Amino acid sequence: MSKLTFAVLPGDYIGPEVMTETLRVLEHVAQKEGLELDYTIADVGGAGIDNHGKALPDTTLELCRRSDAILFGSVGGPKWENLPPKEQPERAALLPLRKAFNLFANIRPGLLYKDLVDASPLKAERIPEGIDIVCIRELTGGIYFGQPKATTTLDNGEQQAIDTMVYKTSEIERIAEVAAVTAKGRSRRVCSVDKANVLETSVLWRKTVTEYFAKNHPDIELTHMYVDNAAMQLARDPNQFDVLFTENMFGDILSDEMAVICGSLGMMSSASLGTGTNSHGKPFGLYEPAGGTAPDIAGKGVANPCAQILSAAMMLRYSFGLDTLADRIAAAVRTAVESGVRTGDIAFGRPAVSTKEMADAIIAHL
Ligand code: NAD
């Protein structure tokens, strides 16, 4: 019996609500497939602060180190927003986790079912079949981490601030590989986004990506696009892309734009892959919904669990190599939603179901 060892960190507000239902879905498929689920639930974020004095308790980090993957909920909310910025749940939990596991590749599917096109701010005629793309963002390099990074006072008394954008070939090649592997499971088209008409790092990015694909993935169609154009093209015709990948800051902005055009945050999953491999010989990863803790609807049992369930499916795919099972869960979510079972965020005038009823419908389609 194959054993899946993972840490479950539900977090705050709707985090535990959607996680409970996700674990029910996982238990269901595990039982049917003869998989052993070996998971441990631990505090993170506000729950970590309240129960252990910090957002990423040592015991939680230890648990993650013993695991093959992390299934993460979401953290933060009004209860902790007056803490100093460095102690805030999101910053003090997610950043150290990214650092501890060198989570360098953020993969976000931009998925909008045909039946949900009304959730998108784009005109329905631009996306008659919905949206189905993937955005991959480099997560540990670039201008957010490059040194020097400082604010100094000049001789004339003015202040001057500096950030440094820096990339080396190995960092570019490893994210290019994630894009290639993702594209091979789809339509084998990759668009690399940069600003090679202005930035030195982007010139190296484009050269490295071109050489890497020519040498290692000649069967994949590679195109390049400047980031300003990519931002426009995403809003004009998102489906012209299949897999797009880019450096940290460009990806931060483009992946949020993609989330908006795909409608409800309740449907948006994500994966962050690390450099290390787990005991299955697959990438260690952290899997979480793209949205936050939704304090406005927490405690009512109405949050949409789909994003968390789809994140769990990504965990099965990337960290456990269970592609078929991941596909089946993704298909069950789609079928449940297309059959008209909807939580409030995607109901559009239909009667809304509860978090639990949404999960029940997904389980019924598995
Ligand atoms: P949010 O994503 O929590 O909510 C924005 C809107 O989307 C709300 O109206 C909410 O009800 C809705 N929404 C989000 N997820 C939903 C779901 N699963 N089902 C139905 N509706 C859903 O963003 P926010 O309000 O800006 O942030 C709330 C808190 O979450 C903040 O403390 C923020 O720091 C934190 N946050 C955490 C993460 C994370 O843990 N990775 C990410 C983003 C925000």
Side-chain angles (χ1 to χ4, degrees), residues 7 26 103 115 120 134 137 141 144 150 338 354:
L26 286 176
L103 302 174
D115 287 26
S120 174
V134 179
R137 166 188 170 194
Y144 292 172
E338 287 180 347
S354 68

Side-chain angles (χ1 to χ4, degrees), residues 14 74-77 90 94 265-266 288 291-297 303-304 345:
I14 67 161
S74 41
V75 295
E90 220 182 320
L94 273 171
L265 280 171
E288 58 171 337
T293 57
D296 53 333
I297 56 165
N304 187 347
D345 56 320

Side-chain angles (χ1 to χ4, degrees), residues 63-260:
L63 167 70
C64 295
R65 289 195 196 284
R66 292 195 307 273
S67 304
D68 287 324
I70 304 169
L71 188 58
F72 195 92
S74 41
V75 295
K79 187 171 178 198
W80 307 280
E81 70 192 8
N82 292 325
L83 289 173
K86 274 188 178 165
E87 293 170 29
Q88 299 257 335
E90 220 182 320
R91 185 158 164 190
L94 273 171
L95 289 188
L97 276 172
R98 274 185 201 165
K99 199 165 168 208
F101 297 100
N102 212 4
L103 302 174
F104 73 96
N106 183 242
I107 306 171
R108 274 211 216 175
L111 188 60
L112 176 70
Y113 306 146
K114 188 178 176 183
D115 287 26
L116 295 183
V117 290
D118 287 344
S120 174
L122 296 190
K123 290 196 183 101
E125 63 256 32
R126 290 203 179 274
I127 44 169
E129 297 302 316
I131 300 171
D132 185 1
I133 61 178
V134 179
C135 180
I136 298 177
R137 166 188 170 194
E138 202 289 327
L139 208 54
T140 49
I143 200 164
Y144 292 172
F145 298 100
Q147 294 293 336
K149 182 187 259 313
T151 305
T152 49
T153 304
L154 300 175
D155 291 345
N156 67 0
E158 252 193 299
Q159 289 216 299
Q160 175 175 281
I162 180 168
D163 293 292
T164 305
M165 189 182 252
V166 56
Y167 272 107
K168 50 188 178 207
T169 37
S170 55
E171 290 172 299
I172 301 168
E173 285 176 350
R174 69 186 183 189
I175 194 84
E177 177 63 21
V178 174
V181 168
T182 305
K184 285 191 176 172
R186 297 174 53 92
S187 71
R188 293 178 179 258
R189 286 190 298 119
V190 165
C191 178
S192 169
V193 174
D194 62 41
K195 189 70 183 164
N197 51 344
V198 180
L199 297 175
E200 204 62 30
T201 41
S202 281
V203 172
L204 180 67
W205 180 281
R206 191 173 284 217
K207 176 173 174 287
T208 306
V209 168
T210 305
E211 289 171 2
Y212 188 81
F213 275 77
K215 185 169 171 219
N216 299 288
H217 302 287
D219 54 330
I220 289 184
E221 181 192 319
L222 172 70
T223 53
H224 302 274
M225 195 179 278
Y226 296 140
V227 62
D228 42 348
N229 189 23
M232 286 191 288
Q233 296 302 331
L234 257 182
R236 202 183 62 80
D237 175 20
N239 289 314
Q240 70 183 276
F241 299 108
D242 186 46
V243 173
L244 63 93
F245 82 105
T246 187
E247 67 88 45
N248 202 345
M249 182 170 61
F250 299 162
D252 190 1
I253 298 165
L254 291 182
S255 61
D256 272 5
E257 182 186 349
M258 188 188 71
V260 168

